[in-house]
Amino acid sequence: MKFRRSSLLSKLIILALIAYATVTLISLQTQITDTLSASQQLENEIVSLTEQNMQLTDQIAQVNTIEGVTDIARTKLGLVTEGEIVFYDIGR
């Protein structure tokens, strides 16, 4: 009788360990999936920010030229060259 009781107890302990291991593995798999998803989102953000950085670098390079300065003076500041006449269309 004692042999069967210890055998049953051993089986219950093993079953509990297997159940614990299964739950732990499922939990870890969920964490891995979430982490991979977050990693992919961060990689996409890095690509987007790198492209934006390249565009800004190009814009900075263009500002350092005469044409760039002239373009900014015309579009942002509304300046004109000497003798130039500006017509504004107010019919829109």
Side-chain angles (χ1 to χ4, degrees), residues 31-43:
Q31 289 177 0
I32 289 170
T33 303
D34 292 344
T35 304
L36 288 175
S37 175
S39 173
Q40 184 62 38
Q41 288 176 349
L42 289 174
E43 286 179 12

Side-chain angles (χ1 to χ4, degrees), residues 66-86 88:
I66 298 288
E67 295 83 17
V69 172
T70 304
D71 184 47
I72 290 173
R74 287 182 182 276
T75 57
K76 303 235 183 214
L77 302 176
L79 300 177
V80 294
T81 58
E82 188 176 327
E84 188 175 30
I85 299 173
V86 178
Y88 293 102

Side-chain angles (χ1 to χ4, degrees), residues 5-85:
R5 189 177 288 167
S6 66
S7 175
L8 179 63
L9 183 62
S10 298
K11 289 178 183 178
L12 287 175
I13 291 173
I14 291 173
L15 181 63
L17 288 174
I18 290 173
Y20 175 76
T22 303
V23 169
T24 302
L25 287 175
I26 291 172
S27 174
L28 288 175
Q29 184 62 36
T30 304
Q31 289 177 0
I32 289 170
T33 303
D34 292 344
T35 304
L36 288 175
S37 175
S39 173
Q40 184 62 38
Q41 288 176 349
L42 289 174
E43 286 179 12
N44 291 341
E45 187 177 346
I46 287 171
V47 169
S48 174
L49 290 174
T50 302
E51 290 174 2
Q52 184 180 5
N53 191 19
M54 289 173 48
Q55 290 173 351
L56 291 172
T57 303
D58 291 342
Q59 288 177 358
I60 289 170
Q62 289 176 354
V63 167
N64 291 331
T65 64
I66 298 288
E67 295 83 17
V69 172
T70 304
D71 184 47
I72 290 173
R74 287 182 182 276
T75 57
K76 303 235 183 214
L77 302 176
L79 300 177
V80 294
T81 58
E82 188 176 327
E84 188 175 30
I85 299 173

